[in-house]
Amino acid sequence: QVQLVESGGGLVQPGGSLRLSCAASASIFSRIVVGWYRQVPGKEREMVATITSGGRTTYVDSVKGRFTISRDNAKNTVVLQMNNLKPEDTAVYYCTLPLSSDWSRAIWGQGTQVTVSS
């Protein structure tokens, strides 16, 4: 099974940017869709972005125009570029690969903390 390792998180001021990267231990070329979700303690996880093998993307409304998801199958990486960050973006971010079509089952990494604060 593919193992995932997220990196790139940190502390940033509102309006700043971060680039999150997810490194996979095996090829993700065959994966039809990959994504990023975030989770805040006490709240349910929220899928923030997905991308298909064909490059089609989806975003939760709150990040549209600010976040960009991309994938590099040759390098087995998934990237989430986050611009114009807001305090409400603060969360632990995870990259994820679904094990079911509805995302009810999936694999993910250890996560990377993103904190947006002045």
Side-chain angles (χ1 to χ4, degrees):
Q1 189 172 57
V2 177
Q3 296 184 41
L4 307 173
V5 179
E6 300 93 337
S7 63
L11 175 63
V12 64
Q13 293 185 332
S17 299
L18 285 173
R19 182 178 183 272
L20 306 184
S21 182
C22 172
S25 63
S27 176
I28 60 171
F29 181 80
S30 63
R31 297 286 183 168
I32 297 175
V33 61
V34 298
W36 285 88
Y37 76 87
R38 62 189 180 187
Q39 188 160 38
V40 177
K43 294 184 177 294
E44 295 184 359
R45 66 183 182 181
E46 178 182 48
M47 187 69 71
V48 300
T50 64
I51 183 169
T52 69
S53 59
R56 187 171 184 172
T57 59
T58 67
Y59 300 92
V60 67
D61 287 344
S62 61
V63 310
K64 288 181 178 178
R66 300 188 298 117
F67 290 12
T68 302
I69 186 173
S70 61
R71 62 191 292 176
D72 188 333
N73 293 320
K75 297 181 179 179
N76 295 326
T77 59
V78 184
V79 169
L80 184 67
Q81 177 66 47
M82 307 186 296
N83 298 323
N84 192 24
L85 284 160
K86 302 176 179 180
E88 53 263 42
D89 294 319
T90 296
V92 178
Y93 284 72
Y94 303 84
C95 62
T96 182
L97 308 179
L99 298 178
S100 61
S101 61
D102 63 356
W103 292 87
S104 62
R105 296 181 179 181
I107 59 174
W108 56 88
Q110 86 290 344
T112 185
Q113 176 71 49
V114 172
T115 302
V116 185
S117 176
S118 60

